[in-house]
Amino acid sequence: ERVLAKYHLFITDAPAGVVRHAVKAVTSARPSSRYCSIFPGSSPGKRHRRAGSAKGQSLTATAMSAILLPVADEPAWQVAELAREALQPGFADVLVYHTGHLGRDPVTLATLDFMKDLFAAVGWSSPQLSLCVLLPRLGWTPEKLASRSDLRGMAVHAAAPARQLGLALLTQLQSLGAVGLGVEPLFLEVGSQEAAAPIGSPSGICAPGSGAQARIHGQPGTALDRELSFKKVAVGGTFDRLHAGHRLLLAATAAVASAEIFVGITADRLLVNKQGREWLEAYEVRSGAAVGYMEATHPGVRVTAGPLLDPKEPPLATTDPSFEAIVVSEETIHGAEAINAGRAERGFAPLVVVVVGLVRGQHSSSGKLSSTDLRLDR
């Protein structure tokens, strides 16, 4: 703290992930601290460069700042690498702004597949990296972006044409009043797909289509370009220590909802036997994080939350006929099936069950990214 209160600190050899965690902890304690510049590996400045000042002038950032990362048609593995590089110390969130056809067109299974591949690639080495996918289709116009008070920087892929598109967006946002973005962006470079794959990751984890992809349960052969839009959508979980798997589930829910979302959050009293119970976040924290994330992804929907108090009692999606869909992971399909069975008994139409793939974890005993493992590894 004493060092960061007075100086800019330049670290050249420490592993980037270690440094990011360390500096984020310090800047959380001192939100007014400027962040330090990191040059991973043995070639300072090679992985990412700032345009302009040879002195490496820092963007103004605090622990609550967000950095904008516009992308167009880059593959998910490349966006994941750009996102990891974009999260400089002092920034809390990376906002991936998809300006390509996937971001503008109706939400489909292909949209959810991109999200799955992105969060899978990020989650292996940076499971709790705070990343949010913003789609113009969901209301994120340049005007809406410019109104965000937390934007304090922009990162741009240095390769053409992404460089030109990023600079054009920066100019547009500044003309709309986004003065906090700074004068120049942070230019990022990425190598090959093989080089971008995290060390020790399973073969193909960054490849499109790796692992189970999004699908509609019970409707095999659903076209990838079928529009997914439902007025009222349900989702549920514990959502302790939001990680890439949680963010995939919540982002998919926000993407397919057109009007309203209800998220059921496991109540504290049902978690007394969880491993690492003493480090579990309280219901209010978990609920706020889940609701806030979906509101940030799709600002046009109304998101409400409620506690899941008794596993023997039917959840709201069973007893409310106005729900149209539920979003689940591969391991919770049985819960959706039980809900639809309860709806059938009441004479309600079945929910469309949207299934997203699981995100694998590097140190997971179960093979998937797990809050329990993150608590025990704290």
Side-chain angles (χ1 to χ4, degrees):
E1 280 191 55
R2 287 195 298 271
V3 171
L4 285 184
K6 297 180 66 175
Y7 306 108
H8 288 277
L9 179 64
F10 292 86
I11 302 174
T12 57
D13 296 322
V18 173
V19 177
R20 285 182 183 130
H21 284 299
V23 176
K24 190 170 183 179
V26 173
T27 53
S28 294
R30 279 185 168 275
S32 61
S33 298
R34 286 181 176 270
Y35 77 95
C36 64
S37 299
I38 295 180
F39 301 106
S42 57
S43 302
K46 185 177 182 181
R47 294 285 295 281
H48 44 73
R49 309 189 306 271
R50 286 186 184 82
S53 174
K55 297 180 181 179
Q57 182 178 357
S58 297
L59 300 168
T60 302
T62 71
M64 298 306 293
S65 299
I67 187 165
L68 186 67
L69 174 62
V71 299
D73 294 313
E74 292 93 335
W77 68 264
Q78 195 171 77
V79 177
E81 178 69 2
L82 290 169
R84 281 191 290 261
E85 293 299 325
L87 190 61
Q88 299 290 291
F91 287 98
D93 307 294
V94 177
L95 307 178
V96 174
Y97 185 51
H98 204 301
T99 62
H101 70 88
L102 185 144
R104 300 189 306 269
D105 294 346
V107 174
T108 65
L109 289 177
T111 312
L112 304 189
D113 281 347
F114 171 83
M115 289 181 174
K116 190 270 178 181
D117 292 337
L118 172 60
F119 284 107
V122 167
W124 181 259
S125 59
S126 308
Q128 292 185 275
L129 187 151
S130 183
L131 183 150
C132 188
V133 179
L134 308 183
L135 306 179
R137 178 73 182 188
L138 301 182
W140 282 108
T141 61
E143 291 77 11
K144 184 72 173 177
L145 276 178
S147 69
R148 291 189 62 131
S149 61
D150 61 340
L151 280 183
R152 286 294 180 270
M154 178 185 285
V156 173
H157 189 190
R163 181 188 181 101
Q164 288 73 22
L165 291 172
L167 290 173
L169 178 62
L170 176 61
T171 300
Q172 183 181 13
L173 293 177
Q174 288 171 336
S175 70
L176 292 170
V179 295
L181 285 174
V183 179
E184 296 168 329
L186 176 70
F187 289 105
L188 307 176
E189 296 177 348
V190 294
S192 66
Q193 182 172 347
E194 292 74 18
I199 296 174
S201 63
S203 176
I205 194 170
C206 294
S210 60
Q213 298 300 98
R215 59 190 175 89
I216 305 299
H217 181 59
Q219 299 180 28
T222 303
L224 282 176
D225 59 355
R226 169 188 165 182
E227 182 175 0
L228 302 177
S229 181
F230 309 98
K231 288 184 178 179
K232 192 171 183 178
V233 183
V235 68
T238 301
F239 302 114
D240 177 53
R241 298 172 184 268
L242 279 191
H243 56 61
H246 294 142
R247 290 188 171 93
L248 169 61
L249 185 67
L250 296 171
T253 302
V256 302
S258 62
E260 188 175 352
I261 297 170
F262 176 78
V263 52
I265 311 286
T266 309
D268 290 339
R269 73 188 192 192
L270 298 184
L271 302 173
V272 292
N273 295 321
K274 277 273 190 181
Q275 282 186 288
R277 170 66 185 88
E278 60 271 32
W279 298 304
L280 262 167
E281 293 172 329
Y283 169 84
E284 292 76 12
V285 175
R286 295 182 284 113
S287 175
V291 170
Y293 188 81
M294 288 189 285
E295 289 176 337
T297 302
H298 192 168
V301 298
R302 184 166 68 93
V303 185
T304 56
L308 300 174
L309 298 167
D310 187 347
K312 296 180 181 179
E313 291 295 319
L316 186 60
T318 301
T319 60
D320 184 343
S322 64
F323 281 96
E324 295 182 356
I326 184 170
V327 181
V328 298
S329 67
E330 289 285 348
E331 66 176 356
T332 55
I333 293 174
H334 63 281
E337 291 174 335
I339 288 173
N340 271 342
R343 290 176 67 88
E345 293 173 357
R346 293 166 172 79
F348 302 158
L351 301 177
V352 175
V353 181
V354 181
V355 185
V356 296
L358 291 173
V359 174
R360 289 180 280 184
Q362 185 173 5
H363 303 295
S364 173
S365 56
S366 61
K368 70 178 183 68
L369 194 54
S370 162
S371 293
T372 298
D373 291 324
L374 293 175
R375 285 196 302 275
L376 297 179
D377 193 43
R378 63 185 296 276

